[in-house]
């Protein structure tokens, strides 16, 4: 286990065993790069109350807890995070401002919770995600605002593909969902949503509205092999698909 203090850097190490592979709390300015974490009894990485966080090319596997817990981590830049064989969620990012994350690769085989959980984010951009093999939801998002998701791939998910709750001002572009057992995109109490240039293949229900009475929009979307395009109602806007009879309620 490596515990980090403020203004610390970790480069090019393999960490095996222990409770939490990398740990920090109430610190500033951390940099982690080219690190492999495996075989922990707890979380692979646990960062709590960190301002200024950079992570590049990190691999986490075979954890007894979460792959990575990021709790109240602000002003973060994460690029290249691969996670597999976790007991809990691969990633739980709870509370963050000014977050930029790209290149998340998750194999959720064996995980007992949603593959990726992202909550309480403000001014965040998430791009180039590849999430697969989840027996729960692929990606759940709650209590967040001003968030953009681009190039998000979800494959072989037994639950819902991407589910939002109590959030607002979301932009989704280039979603690619295949073989989703539940609903592809669930919008629960989430106003001001746009969905553009996305592809849904073999998704039982493409979009579901739960307690959502707000404006949604979108174009350039494709859905094939679905049972239904829309469940629930919304009071304004429409999301366009190339599939026949695809006007939102």
């Amino acid at each position: 286990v490596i515990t980090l203090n403020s203004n610390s850097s970790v480069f090019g190490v393999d960490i095996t065993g222990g409770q939490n592979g990398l740990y920090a709390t109430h610190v500033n300015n951390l940099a982690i790069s080219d690190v492999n974490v495996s075989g922990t009894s707890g979380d692979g990485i646990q960062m709590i109350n960190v301002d200024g966080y950079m992570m590049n090319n990190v691999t986490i596997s075979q954890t007894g807890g979460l792959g990575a817990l990021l709790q109240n981590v602000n002003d973060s830049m994460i690029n290249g995070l691969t996670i597999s064989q976790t007991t809990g969620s691969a990633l739980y990012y709870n509370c963050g401002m000014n977050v930029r994350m790209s290149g998340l690769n998750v194999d959720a085989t064996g995980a007992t919770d949603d593959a990726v959980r992202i909550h309480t984010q403000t001014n965040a951009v998430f791009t180039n995600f590849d999430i697969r093999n989840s027996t729960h939801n692929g990606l759940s998002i709650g209590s967040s605002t001003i968030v953009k998701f681009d190039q998000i791939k979800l494959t072989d998910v037994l639950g819902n593909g991407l589910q939002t709750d109590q959030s607002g001002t979301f932009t989704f572009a280039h979603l690619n969902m295949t073989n989703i057992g539940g609903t592809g995109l669930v919008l629960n109490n989430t106003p001001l949503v746009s969905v553009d240039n996305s592809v849904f293949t073999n998704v039982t229900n493409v979009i579901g509205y739960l307690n959502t009475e707000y404006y949604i929009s979108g174009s350039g979307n494709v859905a094939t092999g679905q049972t239904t395009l829309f469940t629930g109602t919304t009071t304004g806007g429409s999301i366009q698909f190339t599939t026949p009879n695809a006007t939102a309620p």
Side-chain angles (χ1 to χ4, degrees):
V1 177
I2 297 176
T3 299
L4 303 177
N5 297 317
S6 291
N7 304 308
S8 295
S9 300
V10 179
F11 295 95
V13 298
D14 293 335
I15 302 169
T16 304
Q19 183 174 2
N20 302 311
L22 284 170
Y23 174 79
T25 182
H26 294 93
V27 297
N28 303 317
N29 303 321
L30 302 181
I32 300 169
S33 182
D34 299 314
V35 171
N36 297 316
V37 180
S38 64
T40 60
S41 61
D43 303 334
I45 291 178
Q46 193 175 99
M47 299 286 139
I48 302 172
N49 297 317
V50 176
D51 290 323
Y53 182 73
M54 296 182 63
M55 183 163 62
N56 296 285
N57 193 27
V58 170
T59 299
I60 302 169
S61 64
Q62 300 176 347
T63 65
L66 303 167
L69 170 65
L70 306 179
Q71 172 79 39
N72 195 26
V73 176
N74 305 303
D75 299 314
S76 64
M77 296 185 64
I78 300 168
N79 185 25
L81 176 59
T82 299
I83 306 176
S84 64
Q85 301 178 63
T86 61
T87 301
S89 297
L91 170 67
Y92 182 28
Y93 199 148
N94 185 32
C95 296
M97 295 182 63
N98 305 321
V99 174
R100 301 293 181 268
M101 178 182 288
S102 180
L104 175 66
N105 190 311
V106 170
D107 184 341
T109 300
T112 58
D113 205 337
D114 296 348
V116 175
R117 294 182 289 153
I118 297 174
H119 293 168
T120 322
Q121 303 287 324
T122 302
N123 185 27
V125 178
F126 301 99
T127 61
N128 192 21
F129 282 17
D130 186 343
I131 301 169
R132 59 199 179 278
N133 300 328
S134 176
T135 56
H136 296 74
N137 296 328
L139 173 58
S140 63
I141 311 149
S143 304
S144 300
T145 187
I146 314 177
V147 180
K148 179 179 180 180
F149 290 88
D150 195 357
Q151 300 182 61
I152 307 298
K153 183 179 181 181
L154 294 149
T155 309
D156 297 329
V157 174
L158 187 61
N160 299 322
L162 194 159
Q163 179 168 320
T164 73
D165 185 63
Q166 302 290 340
S167 300
T169 317
F170 273 17
T171 300
F172 299 104
H174 305 101
L175 302 179
N176 190 329
M177 299 193 193
T178 304
N179 299 334
I180 308 299
T183 298
L185 178 59
V186 176
L187 306 174
N188 186 8
N189 287 311
T190 304
L192 301 176
V193 173
S194 67
V195 182
D196 295 290
N197 301 312
S198 297
V199 177
F200 301 82
T201 305
N202 296 331
V203 177
T204 304
N205 303 300
V206 177
I207 295 179
Y209 309 116
L210 300 175
N211 304 314
T212 297
E213 297 182 352
Y214 305 99
Y215 187 83
I216 62 171
S217 65
S219 62
N221 302 296
V222 177
T224 59
Q226 77 285 348
T227 302
T228 59
L229 277 171
F230 301 99
T231 59
T233 60
T234 181
T235 58
S238 66
I239 296 179
Q240 298 176 359
F241 285 84
T242 60
T243 308
N245 304 318
T247 302

